[in-house]
């Protein structure tokens, strides 16, 4: 059984993100649609689903990793996948076009009305190879450093004092009930193990 094709929406606006996912699901029945709230998560989803990825709809103005850095990373991971960017700042459009993105959309309240048609056009468009320019290499390196930093922060164990405080609250919670929830007991066990490892 083959995995379904994937459409990835990357936008930090929760209301718009959910609307775009619903629109993509209606426009492309049978496709699997994912939504990421920022570029870091979007790049990770693109990495996980690179073989099935067919289209990326990308906001440019986002925290943590903006759409320009995310576009370079995704173009590197999935070079044949069209990226449909949207931005209220038209001065960023020439850079996006040079990256090989399809014609950007101006971000405005009514853009969703035409987005289904534009997504179909983007999906059918030919994607040019990512150019080998020095500024694109610099963007890629910046994105790599940001992703490495976020991975290191994510993998780092919580500080010992945070573990001890969490254990204190869990012990207080468990003391109120004769039979605390199994998940709470499991969390307390994991925290005690982490605390013991940190103390060694």
């Amino acid at each position: 059984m083959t995995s379904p094709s994937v459409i990835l929406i990357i936008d930090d606006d929760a209301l718009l993100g959910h609307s775009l996912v619903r629109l993509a699901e209606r426009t492309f029945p049978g496709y699997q649609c994912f939504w990421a709230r920022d570029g870091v998560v979007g790049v990770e989803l693109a990495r996980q689903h690179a073989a099935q990825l067919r289209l990326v709809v990308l906001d440019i103005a986002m925290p943590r990793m903006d759409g320009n850095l995310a576009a370079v990373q995704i173009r590197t991971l999935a070079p044949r996948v069209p990226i449909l960017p949207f931005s209220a700042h038209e001065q960023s459009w020439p850079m996006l076009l040079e990256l090989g993105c399809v014609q950007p959309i101006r971000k405005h309240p009514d853009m969703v009305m035409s987005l289904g048609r534009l997504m179909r056009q983007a999906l059918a468009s030919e994607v040019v190879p990512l150019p080998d320019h020095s500024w694109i290499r610099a963007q890629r390196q910046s994105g790599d450093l940001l992703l490495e930093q976020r991975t290191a922060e994510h993998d780092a164990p919580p500080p010992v004092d945070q573990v001890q405080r969490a254990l204190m609250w869990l012990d207080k919670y468990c003391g109120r009930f004769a039979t605390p929830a199994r998940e709470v007991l499991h969390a307390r066990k994991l925290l005690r193990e982490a605390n013991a490892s940190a103390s060694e």
Side-chain angles (χ1 to χ4, degrees), residues 66-86:
D66 70 19
N68 295 305
L69 290 179
V72 173
Q73 294 292 322
I74 294 168
R75 294 250 31 231
T76 303
L77 291 166
R80 307 306 300 171
V81 174
I83 296 176
L84 176 60
F86 58 92

Side-chain angles (χ1 to χ4, degrees), residues 125 133 150-151 179 185:
S125 66
H133 297 317
R150 297 303 304 183
T151 301
T179 55
L185 292 172

